[in-house]
Amino acid sequence: MRILHVVGSMNPGGLETWLMHVLRRIDRERCQFDFLTHTAEPCFYDDEIRSLGCRIIPCLHPSRPCRYVWNLRRILKEYGPYDVVHSHVHH
């Protein structure tokens, strides 16, 4: 199962720490996480995420809906298909 988690960034916070806790313990042969972030800046968990075989995919401009949707569609085409897209943000 392929799951895309939509987050602002992967810096330490409640949700981000919980996602990392889950990622470290899941069977990565059966379940793959990727992370769509709203920043291209390096974040605290990035190296560990990549070392666990997951991707970090920037999708910029969340405050510009038309541009964001265009970026999101491109990402889904390029990196998908995903079985689940789980948004942890208000967009």
Side-chain angles (χ1 to χ4, degrees):
M1 178 176 287
R2 298 189 66 219
I3 301 168
L4 179 65
H5 288 282
V6 181
V7 297
S9 67
M10 284 306 291
N11 285 315
L15 167 71
E16 297 81 4
T17 301
W18 178 80
L19 283 171
M20 291 306 297
H21 178 78
V22 173
L23 177 59
R24 291 177 191 121
R25 287 157 181 80
I26 62 170
D27 180 351
R28 286 184 297 281
E29 296 294 320
R30 294 181 56 203
C31 193
Q32 177 191 343
F33 282 7
D34 285 337
F35 296 87
L36 184 145
T37 63
H38 292 159
T39 183
E41 298 296 317
C43 296
F44 182 82
Y45 290 120
D46 288 0
D47 291 337
E48 183 177 3
I49 288 169
R50 289 186 184 104
S51 75
L52 294 170
C54 303
R55 289 185 280 206
I56 300 164
I57 308 162
C59 185
L60 306 179
H61 309 293
S63 61
R64 297 174 62 192
C66 291
R67 183 144 188 170
Y68 184 80
V69 168
W70 187 87
N71 285 335
L72 179 60
R73 283 185 170 180
R74 178 187 53 78
I75 287 165
L76 293 174
K77 252 186 196 177
E78 185 175 335
Y79 294 97
Y82 289 99
D83 299 297
V84 177
V85 177
H86 189 158
S87 177
H88 300 278
V89 296
H90 297 294
H91 304 288

